[in-house]
Amino acid sequence: MLIFIYGTLKNGCINNDILKNLSAQFLFPAETIQEYPMYLSEDMMEYFPYFENQPGKGNIIQGEVWDIPRQNLEELDYFEGVPDLYVRDKIKVEFEKNIYDCLCYFKSHNSDDDTLNCFDLIDEWTD
């Protein structure tokens, strides 16, 4: 399954080993076809990005496409806090003028917005 990764799971970032432990393979860097609002948030002194499933608002988001075995998606969902923190949905991304349908984690509307300190919109996360 192709999945678009934009945050702490990216190559070189703090949680990248999670993907490797789930037998996921890095394929290529990519960017979203549409703009999305992605925020840098602070929760208990830790910073992390999230973006909302609101196409047409925000920025083109830079990230990576990974291939993860279907049987490991449930474990990745658990890591991402589905359905309380994030929800998994489909997104279109581009690499070298080719369009790919991927899965992606968006901020869940179940999460308590009052617990997040949101900062400015960003278009790429780096550790």
Side-chain angles (χ1 to χ4, degrees), residues 26-122:
F26 171 77
L27 298 179
F28 44 79
E31 64 183 24
T32 59
I33 297 298
Q34 293 185 287
E35 293 98 357
Y36 288 88
M38 182 163 78
Y39 300 93
L40 176 62
S41 295
E42 179 187 14
D43 183 29
M44 298 176 64
M45 300 302 292
E46 291 186 25
Y47 295 93
F48 62 95
Y50 74 86
F51 77 93
E52 298 189 29
N53 196 355
Q54 296 179 355
K57 299 180 179 180
N59 299 309
I60 298 295
I61 306 300
Q62 306 298 314
E64 300 172 348
V65 173
W66 287 69
D67 188 10
I68 185 169
R70 181 183 303 269
Q71 67 269 20
N72 294 343
L73 277 176
E74 190 172 310
E75 204 169 332
L76 188 57
D77 284 351
Y78 177 79
F79 171 78
E80 292 287 5
V82 172
D84 297 324
L85 297 177
Y86 291 91
V87 294
R88 182 168 25 102
D89 206 347
K90 296 178 182 174
I91 191 171
K92 291 187 182 295
V93 300
E94 180 179 8
F95 172 66
E96 294 184 346
K97 299 184 181 179
N98 294 307
I99 307 297
Y100 299 87
D101 291 316
C102 296
L103 299 173
C104 183
Y105 290 97
F106 293 96
K107 180 179 178 287
S108 172
H109 293 290
N110 295 334
S111 66
D112 183 2
D113 291 340
D114 293 336
T115 66
L116 298 176
N117 294 316
C118 297
F119 298 96
D120 294 332
L121 284 171
I122 59 173

